[in-house]
Every structure is written in structure tokens, then in C-alpha cells.
């Protein structure tokens, strides 16, 4: 077993509270590596666990048969990361082995993969080509201009063994940026894809973009409008849905997001929070907190993006006409 695999096994053998305390000392990249290692772990015999535990601590002797699965990973990370962060990590590391990415790259069109790699450092390109299957590497190298291809070749010749952590991070990035994104994008209509892009814009740019589309084709614009969701659209949610959204948010994010919004929406959001959080956030707002416009926009976008994901999953809902959750 590699060092990372041993760490993953030990974390699974620990109780949730102890494992949580350990994981809090990890940065995000390290958590990604551990999650992938847990996902790759499979089953470990009692004897193997016993031997492993003896190395780490004399007072842990029991040993258990371990079978890693999504629920165990979720339980392990719960309380350390938010539910949204856990879900994102599981989606990034969900393939049974990140190492399978090198075989999966052969299924990606050469032009698509070459375009992705052309934005990367030549050393990264050299590492990817050295790991990819031979036909894939040859086709990709042919996509580069001669001068850039020569640089990559020289770097491939000079490559030294790569440590496990950066290699796993590269594999996870390829899974997320190339394989998963391509799969997700292929399932989207052009209107949905464009709506996701416009949803990332500030409100002024969003309105200008939709207006430009409407000037050419009102039907296209309407299909896109139906899928747009801004922070102010939170007012369309039921009270219970507002509570669900803001339960997952950090206090600082909520405080920044509430600066300068209509008072009735502020009141609805505060009413959706637990009493203690209400008092803290209301006190901060009354004391005249003044974040920068970019901080306000970022906080509002974080909350709106989370709400949009929850809407798509069916975790929250928009109030029907005639309901009285919000003001007239």
C-alpha cells in the first residue's frame, strides 16, 4: 500500500469524531487526494488493518474489514466540509480509479484534448503525454505547432519520477476538467449551456446579454430567461426553501450578500435563519458593515449558485402564485 492508501485506511478505521479532527488539518488539495485514495481502497482484510494499526498506535488493536463507499466518505467528511463541498469532491473523484483517466483520454477527440492542453504549462503537457496511451500521445503531439511540440518532446526526455500527490491531483483535474465536464456538457441543450454561462454574470451584463439574444430571436431569449436565477430571485422561494439554502451558508457570506438588497428580502432571509444567527447577522448589518462591491457580488453569486443547484436537484422549490410566503 502507498502512504496515501495507508492514511486513507487509518482514517476509515478511526471513529468519525477523531477522523474529523485529523481532517481539519488538511488543505483542500490534500482532502481531494485522501478522498480519491478512499474511493480506490476497496476492501482490506482484518489482518492487513491490524498490521497497519500497529504501526500507528499501540492502543488500537481491534481491526475491522473495511469497504469504502460514497456513504462512508460522506460520513467521514461531514462536519469538516459543507455538504456542497463534499458532493463536489465526490463528483470529482467518483471514478473507481483516477488512474483509469489515462485510458479514458483515448475516448476524447484529439482536437478537444489538445485545446485543453495548449492552455497548460509545457511540463504538464509532457507529463500527460508520457502517461497517455501511445496512440493518444502521438495524435496529441501532432496537434501542437512544431516549435511547441519540440519543447514538449525535450521535457518528456528529461522527465523524472513524479511523486504520488501531484500525479493524483493531475489525474483528478483531468477527470473533472476534461472527462466530467465534457460528459455534462454533451447532455445540455444550447439554451441550458448558455443559461449556465449567463448565470455567472453580474445582473447588468446578464440583462444586456439576454437583450442582445432577444433582439435576434425572442423565443431563444425566453427559453434562456426561464433558466436564469439571480440572488434577488431568492424572493421567489418558499420560506422552507430559504431556510434550506441559508443553512448551508457561512455567516460572513450571508452578511456580505445582504448589503444593499431590498429590505423585504432581507427580512425574509433573516426570518429563515436560526435565532442566534439572526441576532449576529442583524447586529453586523446595523453596525454598518461595508464590504467591497466585488465581495457583495461574489457572496450573492455563491448563494444563488447553491440555490440553483438545489432547485435542479428538487431540494427546494419556488412558491406558487397566490402563496403568501413573501410580501405582495
Amino acid at each position: 500500500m502507498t502512504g496515501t492508501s495507508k492514511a486513507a485506511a487509518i482514517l476509515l478505521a478511526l471513529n468519525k469524531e477523531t477522523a474529523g479532527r485529523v481532517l481539519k488539518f488538511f488543505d483542500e488539495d490534500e482532502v481531494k487526494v485522501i478522498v480519491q485514495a478512499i474511493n480506490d481502497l476497496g476492501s482490506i482484510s482484518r489482518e492487513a488493518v491490524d498490521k497497519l494499526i500497529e504501526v500507528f498506535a499501540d492502543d488500537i488493536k481491534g481491526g475491522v474489514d473495511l469497504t469504502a463507499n460514497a456513504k462512508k466518505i460522506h460520513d467521514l467528511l461531514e462536519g469538516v466540509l459543507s455538504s456542497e463541498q463534499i458532493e463536489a469532491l465526490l463528483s470529482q473523484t467518483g471514478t473507481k480509479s483516477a488512474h483509469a483517466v489515462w485510458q479514458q483520454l483515448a475516448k476524447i477527440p484529439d482536437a478537444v484534448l489538445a485545446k485543453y492542453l495548449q492552455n497548460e504549462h509545457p511540463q504538464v503537457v509532457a507529463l500527460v503525454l508520457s502517461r497517455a496511451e501511445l496512440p493518444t500521445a502521438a495524435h496529441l503531439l501532432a496537434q501542437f505547432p512544431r516549435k511547441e511540440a519540440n519543447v514538449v518532446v525535450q521535457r518528456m526526455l528529461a522527465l523524472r519520477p513524479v511523486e504520488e500527490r501531484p500525479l493524483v491531483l493531475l489525474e483528478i483535474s483531468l477527470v473533472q476538467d476534461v472527462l466530467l465536464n465534457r460528459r455534462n456538457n454533451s447532455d445540455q441543450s444550447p439554451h441550458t449551456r448558455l443559461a449556465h454561462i449567463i448565470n455567472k454574470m453580474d445582473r447588468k451584463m446578464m440583462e444586456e446579454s439576454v437583450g442582445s439574444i432577444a433582439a435576434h430571436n425572442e423565443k431563444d431569449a425566453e427559453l434562456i430567461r426561464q433558466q436564469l436565477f439571480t440572488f434577488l430571485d431568492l424572493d421567489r422561494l418558499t420560506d422552507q426553501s430559504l431556510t434550506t439554502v441559508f443553512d448551508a451558508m457561512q455567516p460572513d457570506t450571508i452578511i456580505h450578500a445582504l448589503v444593499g438588497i431590498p429590505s423585504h428580502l432581507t427580512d425574509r432571509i433573516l426570518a429563515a435563519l436560526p435565532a442566534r444567527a439572526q441576532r449576529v447577522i442583524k447586529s453586523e448589518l446595523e453596525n454598518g458593515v461595508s464590504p467591497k462591491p466585488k465581495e457583495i457580488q461574489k457572496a450573492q453569486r455563491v448563494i444563488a449558485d447553491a440555490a440553483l443547484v438545489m432547485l435542479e436537484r428538487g431540494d427546494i422549490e419556488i412558491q406558487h402564485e397566490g402563496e403568501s410566503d413573501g410580501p405582495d
Side-chain angles (χ1 to χ4, degrees), residues 64-197:
V64 291
D65 292 332
L66 298 179
T67 301
N69 56 39
K71 184 179 185 306
K72 285 190 176 181
I73 295 173
H74 190 283
D75 290 345
L76 184 67
L77 297 177
E78 191 175 20
V80 181
L81 301 176
S82 71
S83 58
E84 296 296 328
Q85 288 173 311
I86 295 173
E87 185 170 322
L89 283 175
L90 288 174
S91 70
Q92 292 171 21
T93 59
T95 53
K96 189 55 188 171
S97 173
H99 298 294
V101 67
W102 306 112
Q103 287 74 47
Q104 294 176 48
L105 290 182
K107 302 175 184 178
I108 304 296
D110 296 338
V112 172
L113 192 51
K115 184 177 181 181
Y116 171 79
L117 290 176
Q118 283 168 357
N119 294 321
E120 300 297 324
H121 191 280
Q123 190 70 15
V124 173
V125 179
L127 180 55
V128 170
L129 295 187
S130 70
R131 291 274 173 169
E133 294 187 335
L134 293 178
T136 303
H139 293 154
L140 285 174
L141 196 59
Q143 300 286 323
F144 283 79
R146 177 65 62 84
K147 185 176 180 180
E148 293 178 21
N150 289 340
V151 172
V152 171
V153 168
Q154 292 300 319
R155 287 179 178 270
M156 289 176 70
L157 291 172
L159 273 179
R160 297 290 180 268
V162 180
E163 292 183 5
E164 179 185 14
R165 182 186 173 192
L167 182 59
V168 171
L169 289 176
L170 173 60
E171 292 166 344
I172 291 173
S173 294
L174 287 171
V175 169
Q176 179 186 9
D177 297 339
V178 180
L179 299 174
L180 288 179
N181 281 355
R182 181 173 179 270
R183 187 184 309 153
N184 292 339
N185 291 342
S186 66
D187 295 335
Q188 294 176 351
S189 72
H191 299 94
T192 299
R193 172 69 176 160
L194 193 53
H196 283 320
I197 294 172

Side-chain angles (χ1 to χ4, degrees), residues 294-314:
K294 285 187 176 180
E295 293 174 332
I296 296 173
Q297 181 182 331
K298 181 180 179 182
Q300 291 180 349
R301 191 65 262 163
V302 166
I303 297 172
D305 284 347
L308 189 58
V309 170
M310 293 179 191
L311 275 170
E312 291 172 347
R313 287 201 309 248

Side-chain angles (χ1 to χ4, degrees), residues 15-292:
N15 63 46
K16 179 179 174 180
E17 181 182 354
T18 305
R21 290 205 307 268
V22 173
L23 280 170
K24 288 181 179 179
F25 290 95
F26 290 29
D27 62 31
E28 185 176 348
D29 286 343
E30 289 167 338
V31 172
K32 286 183 180 180
V33 173
I34 286 294
V35 170
Q36 184 64 60
I38 293 172
N39 201 62
D40 287 348
L41 204 54
S43 296
I44 304 178
S45 68
R46 182 189 300 273
E47 292 76 16
V49 175
D50 282 342
K51 291 179 181 178
L52 189 57
I53 288 176
E54 286 174 7
V55 176
F56 284 84
D58 293 333
D59 60 342
I60 304 177
K61 297 289 186 181
V64 291
D65 292 332
L66 298 179
T67 301
N69 56 39
K71 184 179 185 306
K72 285 190 176 181
I73 295 173
H74 190 283
D75 290 345
L76 184 67
L77 297 177
E78 191 175 20
V80 181
L81 301 176
S82 71
S83 58
E84 296 296 328
Q85 288 173 311
I86 295 173
E87 185 170 322
L89 283 175
L90 288 174
S91 70
Q92 292 171 21
T93 59
T95 53
K96 189 55 188 171
S97 173
H99 298 294
V101 67
W102 306 112
Q103 287 74 47
Q104 294 176 48
L105 290 182
K107 302 175 184 178
I108 304 296
D110 296 338
V112 172
L113 192 51
K115 184 177 181 181
Y116 171 79
L117 290 176
Q118 283 168 357
N119 294 321
E120 300 297 324
H121 191 280
Q123 190 70 15
V124 173
V125 179
L127 180 55
V128 170
L129 295 187
S130 70
R131 291 274 173 169
E133 294 187 335
L134 293 178
T136 303
H139 293 154
L140 285 174
L141 196 59
Q143 300 286 323
F144 283 79
R146 177 65 62 84
K147 185 176 180 180
E148 293 178 21
N150 289 340
V151 172
V152 171
V153 168
Q154 292 300 319
R155 287 179 178 270
M156 289 176 70
L157 291 172
L159 273 179
R160 297 290 180 268
V162 180
E163 292 183 5
E164 179 185 14
R165 182 186 173 192
L167 182 59
V168 171
L169 289 176
L170 173 60
E171 292 166 344
I172 291 173
S173 294
L174 287 171
V175 169
Q176 179 186 9
D177 297 339
V178 180
L179 299 174
L180 288 179
N181 281 355
R182 181 173 179 270
R183 187 184 309 153
N184 292 339
N185 291 342
S186 66
D187 295 335
Q188 294 176 351
S189 72
H191 299 94
T192 299
R193 172 69 176 160
L194 193 53
H196 283 320
I197 294 172
I198 295 175
N199 264 323
K200 301 294 183 183
M201 301 176 178
D202 61 45
R203 192 168 189 86
K204 182 180 178 182
M205 188 176 295
M206 179 184 288
E207 291 172 352
E208 290 176 352
S209 297
V210 176
S212 175
I213 294 168
H216 291 85
N217 190 314
E218 178 57 37
K219 184 178 179 180
D220 284 341
E222 183 56 32
L223 288 171
I224 291 170
R225 285 193 197 101
Q226 292 171 5
Q227 301 178 72
L228 297 181
F229 194 91
T230 69
F231 183 80
L232 295 182
D233 288 321
L234 291 171
D235 204 16
R236 298 160 51 199
L237 300 179
T238 63
D239 288 340
Q240 181 58 50
S241 294
L242 277 176
T243 299
T244 301
V245 171
F246 284 92
D247 272 350
M249 296 299 132
Q250 296 295 321
D252 286 348
T253 301
I254 299 174
I255 292 168
H256 288 173
L258 296 188
V259 174
I261 68 171
S263 58
H264 76 270
L265 181 53
T266 300
D267 293 340
R268 284 199 67 206
I269 291 172
L270 289 174
L273 301 174
R276 183 175 180 277
Q278 280 188 44
R279 291 194 298 271
V280 171
I281 292 172
K282 197 170 182 179
S283 173
E284 288 288 335
L285 293 173
E286 289 174 350
N287 287 335
V289 61
S290 55
K292 297 177 181 178

